[in-house]
Amino acid sequence: MLAGQELAVDSDEQWLFRQGDLVLGPITASQVVEKLYTGELTPDSPVAPAGEREFRNLRDTAAFQVHIARYEAQGRVAQTMRVEQARNQRRVKVLGGVAAGVAIVLGIAGWYLARNAAVYGLFGAGEEGDGITMDPPTIRLAQARVDDEDLVAYPTNDPRRPDRPAGQAGVPGKTPGTAVASAASRPPRTGNVTTDPDGLEMAQQFDQGAINRVVAGNQSKLFRCFKEEAERTPGLAAKIPMEFVIGNDGRVAKLWVDNPQFKQGPLFECLFAELKKWPFKAYDGERATVGLSFNIGKRG
């Protein structure tokens, strides 16, 4: 501790020091200083020159005051370092706690998202866009609709039926109106094989999985149309079912909005224009109808 330090004391002078009721020594002044730095003596330890009986504190002894000053300065530096170290340790603990909290929050968020995916499935039946929710889509073979102006079933482009040109449907010997009523009264046809009115089996060739993927990837683009309608009609709260037909070329060919308020108009035009952009795959056989249902606002 004292290497290279200049002593301000007579290193040969003999000193006594007291510890409790014991008087110890004599030791040289250099040894007194060494004991100070090693902690055996403190600035308040009583010392006296050998042969004298009057003791005084080390800090009050002129011969050792230089070393007392150095000792106390080193003590202050050491204390400052200890305080800073303790502060850094607390900071590390706080940051560790924050990181743990963030990890917990992210874990809860991940669990919530996974749970929603499991509950609502691929299409996110509960997906929301500023008060707009969407039910899962339904996909089936195209059917004639009695509320449509042309009142015809959609063409099948079936080369095995040259007697049934595109855009017409019906049973030989019956009027078109009768054929439409019969088609409209039949339940929706689903599955991979269908039967026409004459009993001819026809393979369904559209890919339902591919259609699902296109719908899932583009459905949120329709929210813009509903938001614009909500701005045009403040306080709007309605369920808006819709169906569209995918042509054999993979493009949306027909749209119905099954809400009397929106069968035509800006919302219908916006939806139809957006649906025409959806990139479905071309296919052969009977055409597919996709049903979607949206909810705007909160209905009482």
Side-chain angles (χ1 to χ4, degrees), residues 63-205:
F64 298 105
Q65 287 183 350
V66 172
H67 291 283
I68 293 296
R70 291 181 181 177
Y71 170 83
E72 291 180 339
Q74 289 182 3
R76 287 192 295 269
V77 171
Q79 178 63 22
T80 300
M81 293 179 64
R82 285 193 295 270
V83 170
E84 186 63 26
Q85 184 178 14
R87 185 177 301 155
N88 289 338
Q89 290 176 346
R90 288 195 298 270
R91 188 179 297 116
V92 169
K93 290 181 180 179
V94 170
L95 292 177
V98 171
V102 171
I104 292 173
V105 170
L106 291 177
I108 293 174
W111 171 84
Y112 181 78
L113 292 175
R115 176 182 176 276
N116 276 5
V119 171
Y120 297 117
L122 176 63
F123 300 102
E127 182 178 351
E128 298 186 359
D130 292 344
I132 303 171
T133 61
M134 173 182 168
D135 298 335
T138 60
I139 301 174
R140 59 184 175 85
L141 295 178
Q143 302 287 309
R145 294 169 58 98
V146 296
D147 59 343
D148 200 22
E149 293 181 357
D150 51 14
L151 295 179
V152 294
Y154 306 114
T156 64
N157 297 332
D158 183 8
R160 295 173 294 179
R161 294 303 309 271
D163 60 323
R164 181 178 296 178
Q168 296 182 2
V171 180
K174 295 185 179 181
T175 63
T178 303
V180 169
S182 175
S185 64
R186 291 196 301 271
R189 296 172 294 173
T190 60
N192 293 324
V193 177
T194 60
T195 304
D196 73 356
D198 295 331
L200 180 63
E201 288 191 349
M202 303 174 62
Q204 173 183 311
Q205 299 184 37

Side-chain angles (χ1 to χ4, degrees), residues 19-39:
Q19 288 185 340
D21 294 333
L22 298 177
V23 175
L24 304 175
I27 59 176
T28 64
S30 299
Q31 290 175 313
V32 171
V33 173
E34 183 176 352
K35 288 181 180 296
L36 172 66
Y37 282 103
T38 59

Side-chain angles (χ1 to χ4, degrees), residues 97-294:
V98 171
V102 171
I104 292 173
V105 170
L106 291 177
I108 293 174
W111 171 84
Y112 181 78
L113 292 175
R115 176 182 176 276
N116 276 5
V119 171
Y120 297 117
L122 176 63
F123 300 102
E127 182 178 351
E128 298 186 359
D130 292 344
I132 303 171
T133 61
M134 173 182 168
D135 298 335
T138 60
I139 301 174
R140 59 184 175 85
L141 295 178
Q143 302 287 309
R145 294 169 58 98
V146 296
D147 59 343
D148 200 22
E149 293 181 357
D150 51 14
L151 295 179
V152 294
Y154 306 114
T156 64
N157 297 332
D158 183 8
R160 295 173 294 179
R161 294 303 309 271
D163 60 323
R164 181 178 296 178
Q168 296 182 2
V171 180
K174 295 185 179 181
T175 63
T178 303
V180 169
S182 175
S185 64
R186 291 196 301 271
R189 296 172 294 173
T190 60
N192 293 324
V193 177
T194 60
T195 304
D196 73 356
D198 295 331
L200 180 63
E201 288 191 349
M202 303 174 62
Q204 173 183 311
Q205 299 184 37
F206 60 79
D207 185 341
Q208 181 166 333
I211 293 176
N212 281 341
R213 288 189 290 272
V214 174
V215 173
N218 293 273
Q219 63 192 24
S220 62
K221 297 178 181 177
L222 299 178
F223 288 174
R224 174 182 60 85
C225 299
F226 293 111
K227 291 177 182 177
E228 292 176 355
E229 184 62 36
E231 293 175 358
R232 288 190 293 269
T233 312
L236 175 64
K239 185 177 183 67
I240 304 179
M242 52 184 282
E243 286 187 352
F244 59 89
V245 175
I246 304 172
N248 293 114
D249 60 356
R251 298 297 176 183
V252 173
K254 189 73 176 177
L255 170 66
W256 296 273
V257 176
D258 291 328
N259 182 305
Q261 186 178 355
F262 304 110
K263 285 183 176 293
Q264 297 295 331
L267 176 60
F268 178 93
E269 298 299 332
C270 181
L271 293 172
F272 199 14
E274 182 59 45
L275 288 169
K276 288 179 179 179
K277 302 175 185 177
W278 290 14
F280 295 101
K281 292 169 56 177
Y283 61 97
D284 297 323
E286 295 199 49
R287 298 197 288 180
T289 296
V290 177
L292 301 177
S293 183
F294 293 85

